[in-house]
Amino acid sequence: MFFHQDATFEQLSIHRVGNKAQDEFYVLSDTPIEISQDEVLPDLLMQYFMKPFSKANEVYRFYHPNDDLQLNEVYYFAKQYFEGKIAFHDMSQQLAKHLYEVSEHPKIKAGEVYVVALKNVQLEGEEHDAVGIFKSENKEAYLKVYPNAGGFDLDYEQEAININKLDKGVVIVKTEAEEGYKVLVVDQTNQSEAVYWKDDFLKIKARNDNFQQTGNLLKVYKNFVHDKLDEAFELESADKIDLLNRSMNYFKTKETFDQGEFEEEVIGNPQAASLFKEYQENFAEEFDTPFQSNFEIASPAVKKMAASYKSVIKLDKNFHIYVHGKRDYIEAGFDEERGLNYYKLYFEAES
């Protein structure tokens, strides 16, 4: 878990980065921002920058395709700063330049880049120094109402920043440098062109811990049921939902994952289990994310994936059937007289 309640700002620098593909430019400030004398601004900025990370469960690490971490620009400059080999503001300028160089998709928005030095951020029970990099892209209009001559007056700010909506951010925690640091990421844009933040600018990959193992296994199993298993056995919707419900129940009730136990209790078919192993291996090879046959189940990852495990059968626009168990209480058929499919449900009592 990540906590910032005891964190403090050490330094803050702000630059502006345009879209290189649109022939926009970057503007670098000459000096850091002085905020230590202001009683309100530091708290507002802490809320703006750090609050979105309170729900960040996945921890990432820097990497480089050539397996040389020193070639990762963000990692390199952050490490230089942490080791006292480069001044904070110089580091922030280099990071802004690098962000500009990768901002080549035509839909990437220009925006302000904030680089902060932090003390006492807590991640996984330990306090560390950290560097935060944040970008604001979307502006909003704000109304301002204030007293004036016995009444009130009204004004507005046309392009202001909503401190409750951080567009992009990353916190680089000063620990495990040789493995690529511990890195937390926020990207609220959810657009295809937004991958430049994680893939091009940061070059990060998820740390292969229990959270990642749990999430990946549930994700792969879900895809396996809908794609590979359905293709091999032509499953009915109720069968697929039953398999998914059984897997989710396994992860909610067990403390540790055991591959053999999972295949026996959840999949329950040697041929299907063999197909699942093959599916896992293909995923691991494609995404360079090996699976462990045993690991501790991470409850936050189960909770996160549960939202995507749908247990509903949608019938035209008239009915939804929610299936939580008892697969043998559901029968599917076809009524030749009406020319319609049907489901028959058995139950003991209506509640």
Side-chain angles (χ1 to χ4, degrees), residues 67-106:
D67 295 326
D68 185 353
L69 269 173
Q70 298 300 319
L71 298 177
N72 182 308
E73 290 88 344
V74 179
Y75 170 85
Y76 173 80
F77 290 118
K79 190 167 187 287
Q80 290 282 297
Y81 166 70
F82 284 141
E83 294 178 351
K85 298 177 181 178
I86 187 174
F88 170 79
H89 192 68
D90 292 338
M91 172 196 67
S92 73
Q93 290 180 328
Q94 295 297 332
L95 292 172
K97 290 178 185 177
H98 171 52
L99 180 58
Y100 174 75
E101 291 298 327
V102 300
S103 299
E104 294 187 311
H105 192 286

Side-chain angles (χ1 to χ4, degrees), residues 241-307:
I241 290 174
D242 181 57
L243 285 167
L244 294 178
N245 283 342
R246 281 157 54 185
S247 67
M248 185 55 65
N249 183 63
Y250 178 93
F251 276 88
K252 285 182 176 179
T253 58
K254 303 282 186 178
E255 293 185 355
T256 59
F257 172 84
D258 179 88
Q259 182 84 24
E261 181 183 67
F262 181 82
E263 291 173 357
E264 181 178 345
E265 294 185 10
V266 176
I267 300 177
N269 180 300
Q271 183 182 352
S274 179
L275 287 173
F276 181 56
K277 280 186 177 179
E278 180 183 333
Y279 199 84
Q280 279 181 287
E281 291 169 0
N282 291 337
F283 179 92
E285 183 177 346
E286 181 178 355
F287 295 98
D288 191 23
T289 307
F291 286 96
Q292 299 172 11
S293 58
N294 298 84
F295 56 83
E296 291 185 14
I297 293 174
S299 296
V302 176
K303 185 177 180 181
K304 180 180 178 181
M305 284 301 301

Side-chain angles (χ1 to χ4, degrees), residues 8 44-45 48 50 72 83 86 125 149-150 152 163 172 178 183-184 213 236 262 266 281 317 322 328 334 349:
T8 56
L44 291 176
L45 288 174
Y48 177 45
M50 309 305 288
N72 182 308
E83 294 178 351
I86 187 174
F152 295 91
I163 64 169
I172 306 162
E178 300 308 311
V183 181
L184 300 176
Q213 285 284 323
E236 294 181 358
F262 181 82
V266 176
E281 291 169 0
K317 295 183 179 180
Y322 290 87
D328 51 334
F334 181 78

Side-chain angles (χ1 to χ4, degrees), residues 24-71:
E24 298 171 348
F25 298 98
Y26 59 79
V27 179
L28 303 179
S29 59
D30 294 329
T31 57
I33 301 293
E34 179 56 57
I35 61 171
S36 59
Q37 303 304 316
D38 194 302
E39 295 182 0
V40 178
L41 188 57
D43 289 339
L44 291 176
L45 288 174
M46 189 66 75
Q47 176 184 340
Y48 177 45
F49 294 146
M50 309 305 288
K51 187 178 178 180
F53 291 90
S54 61
K55 296 182 179 180
N57 288 307
E58 281 190 90
V59 178
Y60 294 83
R61 295 195 188 280
F62 289 113
Y63 82 101
H64 193 273
N66 293 341
D67 295 326
D68 185 353
L69 269 173
Q70 298 300 319
L71 298 177

